[in-house]
Amino acid sequence: MLDKQPYIGRFAPSPTGPLHLGSLYTALAGFLQARSRHGLWLLRIDDLDSPRNIKGSAENILKTLDVFGLHWDGSVVYQSQHLDVYDEILDKLAKNYLIYPCTCSRKTLAGIYSGLCRDKQLPRNSLYSLRIKTDERIISFQDDLQGLVSHNLSGQHGDFILKRKDRVIAYQFAVVVDDNRQGVNHVVRGFDLLDSTPRQIYLQQTLGFATPGYMHVPVIIDEKGYKLSKQTCATAVDLKAPHIVLFALLVLLKQNPPSELQQAPAAEILNWATDHWDPTPLKNSCAISPIC
Ligand code: GLU
Ligand code: ZN
């Protein structure tokens, strides 16, 4: 059967600092995947983890994507602007006895959560997180690049948190709710999130949402083998010469860009890359070390 459903992808950075080479690498892969399929590429700012947000970085991210010619479709969605949506779904889950409050402290918990609070009476006025009950089911999916991934949910993850003690909606839950609200049917993101995907698929199954396709691209690592991240102080990408950075990123995406393209303006580089996009050389690769 012909798949007539239009492709809807997205980029969902957290506003915890400026985009670095690693985040731009993921953005570019997602952009090229969407554009080469004549699909939509949405932009969502995952700004729920307010203690980690850094003022001004959402604006900075938008500006950077714009300078690089990575234009998104529609208006930007900010997770913090629809907090009621998450709580409504949590209420439904609570009515079906699928979530429960947990008062355990992080210090007393090591490893996989055993479900200790499942049947406990909640002490009054105590701080608690909300956990979802998991079972022994095996969640499997076929990643476009990483192949078959299978996890035993309770064995490998246990009952996981949907809402934290500090009332912040947990990433695993928020991402599932928003991808569904936005009609996202293909997720391109970094390999570091591969381990999260079975939990997200479990949530989709529990909530009656469709499961998108997944492509986990390698993460960029530094000389010491650490993932580039805001925490390791990876520097922000240089906005003065986007075409040079784009060309380098295409090399890191193993797209073999012709050397003439090196002098071309950003828009032309992106057109070439969209026409020639082929992610298969990235198969089974979880990390890439920059040569530039
Ligand atoms: N907001 C997440 C991050 O910046 C990514 C969300 C996702 O792609 O699922 O790491
Ligand atoms: Zn507990």
Side-chain angles (χ1 to χ4, degrees), residues 102-104 113 116-117:
C102 164
T103 52
C104 300
Y113 186 70
L116 195 66
C117 293

Side-chain angles (χ1 to χ4, degrees), residues 10 12-14 44 46 171 175 179 187-190 192-193 200 230:
R10 50 70 163 176
S14 305
R44 185 178 72 233
D46 283 0
Y171 158 69
V175 75
D179 284 342
V187 171
V188 176
R189 61 186 177 195
D192 53 318
L193 291 170
Q200 294 173 14
K230 290 147 195 160

Side-chain angles (χ1 to χ4, degrees), residues 2-214:
L2 259 176
D3 187 9
K4 289 259 171 60
Q5 209 185 20
Y7 179 106
I8 305 181
R10 50 70 163 176
F11 179 51
S14 305
T16 53
L19 290 183
H20 52 75
L21 198 70
S23 33
L24 207 59
Y25 180 85
T26 309
L28 180 58
F31 173 90
L32 293 173
Q33 181 72 8
R35 292 290 178 250
S36 65
R37 303 251 210 124
H38 308 286
L40 296 177
W41 191 61
L42 311 179
L43 178 61
R44 185 178 72 233
I45 302 293
D46 283 0
D47 58 353
L48 292 180
D49 196 351
S50 38
R52 290 185 60 219
N53 289 349
I54 290 178
K55 215 170 174 289
S57 53
E59 294 72 21
N60 190 294
I61 289 170
L62 268 51
K63 164 113 201 292
T64 305
L65 292 173
D66 195 52
V67 167
F68 278 82
L70 300 175
H71 304 304
W72 58 91
D73 295 297
S75 43
V76 186
V77 169
Y78 293 81
Q79 290 187 315
S80 61
Q81 287 178 359
H82 50 260
L83 291 174
D84 49 324
V85 170
Y86 309 107
D87 283 322
E88 272 165 35
I89 298 175
L90 287 173
D91 283 345
K92 269 188 221 149
L93 289 169
K95 285 202 182 90
N96 292 318
Y97 303 103
L98 289 164
I99 54 171
Y100 62 91
C102 164
T103 52
C104 300
S105 74
R106 198 178 278 193
K107 273 186 223 121
T108 59
L109 295 175
I112 291 153
Y113 186 70
S114 64
L116 195 66
C117 293
R118 268 196 188 193
D119 307 308
K120 256 197 210 160
Q121 283 288 11
L122 192 67
R124 264 169 197 275
N125 300 325
S126 66
L127 279 179
Y128 56 84
S129 56
L130 291 172
R131 290 184 184 271
I132 186 153
K133 292 178 184 168
T134 54
D135 51 34
E136 290 281 311
R137 83 178 74 167
I138 305 290
I139 302 270
S140 302
F141 72 100
Q142 191 70 39
D143 188 83
D144 291 350
L145 294 176
Q146 311 298 337
L148 183 69
V149 179
S150 280
H151 285 199
N152 175 316
L153 213 61
S154 53
Q156 284 174 267
H157 301 289
D159 295 352
F160 55 94
I161 292 178
L162 303 193
K163 189 172 184 171
R164 302 187 332 210
K165 262 187 198 163
D166 60 2
R167 295 171 192 265
V168 170
I169 299 293
Y171 158 69
Q172 306 293 352
F173 178 51
V175 75
V176 164
V177 170
D178 286 300
D179 284 342
N180 181 68
R181 287 183 90 220
Q182 295 181 274
V184 170
N185 53 24
H186 209 102
V187 171
V188 176
R189 61 186 177 195
F191 181 85
D192 53 318
L193 291 170
L194 186 71
D195 186 63
S196 290
T197 306
R199 270 171 285 176
Q200 294 173 14
I201 294 176
Y202 173 65
L203 288 175
Q204 289 151 6
Q205 292 177 352
T206 306
L207 295 167
F209 298 164
T211 290
Y214 287 99

Side-chain angles (χ1 to χ4, degrees), residues 237-284:
V237 281
D238 188 359
L239 298 185
K240 285 193 284 295
H243 68 289
I244 293 177
V245 180
L246 278 175
F247 188 88
L249 286 170
L250 289 179
V251 173
L252 294 172
L253 284 166
K254 305 198 177 168
Q255 298 303 294
N256 253 320
S259 51
E260 313 89 77
L261 207 62
Q262 221 154 354
Q263 304 309 324
E268 202 175 304
I269 297 180
L270 288 176
N271 282 340
W272 179 90
T274 304
D275 290 344
H276 294 84
W277 173 242
D278 174 16
T280 47
L282 299 172
K283 269 203 167 152
N284 299 317

